[in-house]
Amino acid sequence: MRIDKQQIIDLLKSQGEDDHADQAQSELPDQVDPEQHADLLARFGINPTDLLGKIPGLGGFGGQVGAVNRHRHEAGRQ
């Protein structure tokens, strides 16, 4: 799975890591593969395994909650 570099930069900024965000802007490719770029992400304090749970829309906790709520809603219609 590839992640847009801007999403990672936004994540870093949201965590108050402006210096890392600036560094990531210049060092990360436009599309980041968490497995392939694990060492590079680690320089910015990002664990590739945790990354999917921290960026909205990439299957993290928020996505699971949405799926559960959608299932409950559909079950209520039957």
Side-chain angles (χ1 to χ4, degrees), residues 34-67:
E35 291 181 16
Q36 180 182 352
H37 301 112
D39 291 340
L40 189 54
L41 290 169
R43 280 195 240 167
F44 310 123
I46 296 174
N47 179 334
T49 305
D50 296 339
L51 187 62
L52 297 178
K54 292 182 178 178
I55 295 182
L58 294 180
F61 183 73
Q64 293 173 0
V65 169

Side-chain angles (χ1 to χ4, degrees), residues 7-69:
Q7 289 182 286
I8 295 171
I9 292 166
D10 292 345
L11 172 66
L12 289 167
K13 287 182 178 181
S14 75
Q15 296 175 338
E17 298 288 344
D18 292 339
D19 290 340
H20 279 156
D22 292 341
Q23 189 178 1
Q25 178 67 44
S26 63
E27 294 184 29
L28 289 175
D30 289 338
Q31 294 293 310
V32 179
D33 180 327
E35 291 181 16
Q36 180 182 352
H37 301 112
D39 291 340
L40 189 54
L41 290 169
R43 280 195 240 167
F44 310 123
I46 296 174
N47 179 334
T49 305
D50 296 339
L51 187 62
L52 297 178
K54 292 182 178 178
I55 295 182
L58 294 180
F61 183 73
Q64 293 173 0
V65 169
V68 168
N69 287 338

